[in-house]
Amino acid sequence: DTEVTQTPKHLVMGMTNKKSLKCEQHMGHRAMYWYKQKAKKPPELMFVYSYEKLSINESVPSRFSPECPNSSLLNLHLHALQPEDSALYLCASGGSSYNEQFFGPGTRLTVL
Amino acid sequence: DAKTTQPPSMDCAEGRAANLPCNHSTISGNEYVYWYRQIHSQGPQYIIHGLKNNETNEMASLIITEDRKSSTLILPHATLRDTAVYYCIVKTSGTYKYIFGTGTRLKVLA
């Protein structure tokens, strides 16, 4: 199984809502990532988990809260987002050492 | 900041080779060159990577100059399905930090 799955595919939320994005992989990868991608821009790294511990936080605002409950799952909890947070949120796994990353299809988030 | 520069866009005729250049003049000895592509609204897809030798797989070839300051991704027989944004990334071995540059938007023309 070389697939990274993400749910939901689309999410619309208000600025006062709390929601979560989910990501799952069963490739045995011990590194998992969250990226944010605005339209016509490259993906921007947000967080990296390595062996279920937060390894990299690219100065992401606290309204984004990552969680890695186990080695196969990665969540991104969202609270009090702003309209400018609307973007495609990509999850990836793998990528440690010289290995490649596998990306999920993304969750398209719209904040109203 | 991204360590790579790429032309913003390129066109290629279907069936011809697509040669996508990437400049990484500040690359260090322990940094690999990776190529990914992103077809519209999908997650990026790994293509190939290398350290200093040329590499080939079923998707593409990667040619790295001897001084390692630039590389070229070659899609030998481009098809319409190869239309995508191609990203060249330099990453240190053993680290997790992938920094995507602005990429090259390749359009394959029928």
Side-chain angles (χ1 to χ4, degrees):
Chain A
D1 183 3
T2 59
E3 192 180 21
V4 175
T5 58
Q6 290 188 243
T7 54
K9 285 190 167 58
H10 301 275
L11 178 63
V12 179
M13 60 185 291
M15 289 189 284
T16 59
N17 292 157
K18 285 186 181 180
K19 296 286 184 184
S20 296
L21 309 184
K22 296 185 186 303
C23 174
E24 190 166 2
Q25 59 91 11
H26 296 287
M27 293 176 277
H29 294 155
R30 303 315 296 265
M32 295 185 76
Y33 309 69
W34 282 113
Y35 289 84
K36 173 182 176 180
Q37 186 174 28
K38 303 282 279 184
K40 297 193 184 302
K41 298 291 186 183
E44 296 176 30
L45 184 64
M46 300 175 71
F47 302 104
V48 181
Y49 272 81
S50 172
Y51 292 86
E52 299 160 47
K53 292 192 184 328
L54 185 62
S55 173
I56 295 176
N57 176 342
E58 290 287 279
S59 302
V60 179
S62 60
R63 57 186 184 269
F64 295 91
S65 175
E67 179 196 19
C68 189
N70 60 57
S71 60
S72 299
L73 294 175
L74 186 66
N75 298 322
L76 186 63
H77 302 298
L78 314 172
H79 173 54
L81 294 193
Q82 304 296 311
E84 57 265 29
D85 296 321
S86 297
L88 181 68
Y89 288 84
L90 294 160
C91 174
S93 72
S96 62
S97 187
Y98 58 85
N99 298 318
E100 69 267 29
Q101 287 187 312
F102 291 81
F103 283 82
T107 292
R108 187 158 302 280
L109 174 68
T110 302
V111 182
L112 301 176
Chain B
D1 290 342
K3 298 181 179 181
T4 62
T5 55
Q6 299 174 252
S9 64
M10 293 180 66
D11 290 341
C12 176
E14 189 178 21
R16 304 297 292 266
N19 296 284
L20 293 94
C22 179
N23 182 287
H24 32 80
S25 57
T26 60
I27 194 169
S28 301
N30 61 347
E31 290 181 317
Y32 283 74
V33 179
Y34 288 77
W35 283 85
Y36 284 76
R37 72 180 182 184
Q38 188 172 24
I39 296 169
H40 182 62
S41 294
Q42 297 181 19
Q45 176 192 23
Y46 166 81
I47 301 173
I48 199 167
H49 74 277
L51 182 62
K52 55 184 178 181
N53 297 321
N54 298 339
E55 302 288 345
T56 296
N57 63 20
E58 65 278 3
M59 287 183 71
S61 295
L62 173 60
I63 308 297
I64 302 175
T65 58
E66 194 168 341
D67 62 7
R68 303 186 68 237
K69 293 186 177 182
S70 65
S71 61
T72 301
L73 178 75
I74 301 172
L75 307 178
H77 305 287
T79 71
L80 298 178
R81 287 177 294 180
D82 293 321
T83 293
V85 179
Y86 287 77
Y87 295 103
C88 170
I89 302 164
V90 166
K91 188 183 83 71
T92 302
S93 173
T95 69
Y96 300 111
K97 199 161 180 175
Y98 285 81
I99 306 297
F100 284 73
T102 51
T104 295
R105 190 170 297 273
L106 175 69
K107 188 172 182 180
V108 180
L109 305 171

